[in-house]
């Protein structure tokens, strides 16, 4: 298989993703990145994540070690809303 250089996000590559799927994945990746940064910067463990977001241990573990397939955008949005209360919300809405 021949490799090729992709400009921008891999999710924008039409040979890999249809435009809607690519946009959804790109948005989820950005949202997860913001949450991961928030958790990492504060050196939060499972207990701290559970308390901060009001979630169970399994969900907290998924946020600490995120996979793009673990959450929907609708599931991630409330977590970002919670950290916005602390002034840490920094994600862009993609058109």
């Amino acid at each position: 298989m021949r490799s090729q250089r992709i400009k921008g996000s891999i999710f924008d590559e039409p040979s890999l993703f249809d435009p809607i799927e690519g946009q959804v994945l790109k948005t989820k990746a950005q949202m997860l990145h913001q949450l991961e940064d928030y958790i990492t910067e504060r050196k939060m463990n499972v207990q701290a994540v559970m308390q901060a977001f009001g979630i169970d241990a399994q969900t907290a573990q998924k946020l600490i070690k995120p996979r793009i397939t673990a959450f929907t955008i609708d599931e991630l949005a409330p977590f970002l809303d919670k950290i916005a209360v602390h002034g840490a919300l920094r994600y862009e809405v993609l058109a």
Side-chain angles (χ1 to χ4, degrees):
M1 174 182 245
R2 187 173 175 199
S3 66
Q4 67 182 40
R5 191 170 293 267
I6 297 173
K7 292 182 180 180
S9 171
I10 192 167
F11 300 124
D12 294 329
E13 181 55 42
S15 66
L16 299 174
F17 303 99
D18 69 63
I20 294 173
E21 178 187 19
Q23 190 65 40
V24 167
L25 291 170
K26 189 174 184 179
T27 301
K28 284 170 57 174
Q30 289 175 336
M31 294 171 86
L32 283 168
H33 184 70
Q34 292 301 316
L35 288 163
E36 186 177 26
D37 283 351
Y38 182 85
I39 291 166
T40 302
E41 287 169 5
R42 287 157 183 77
K43 297 179 171 103
M44 297 172 81
N45 62 18
V46 173
Q47 292 294 327
V49 173
M50 288 172 60
Q51 185 174 17
F53 295 108
I55 55 177
D56 61 34
Q58 184 177 9
T59 305
Q61 189 62 41
K62 288 180 185 178
L63 282 178
I64 291 170
K65 299 204 184 277
R67 288 190 349 250
I68 202 161
T69 58
F71 298 98
T72 66
I73 290 171
D74 290 339
E75 292 169 330
L76 292 171
F79 299 138
L80 291 172
D81 286 342
K82 287 194 184 235
I83 65 174
V85 172
H86 307 299
L89 182 60
R90 304 177 317 258
Y91 70 94
E92 67 181 81
V93 177
L94 303 172

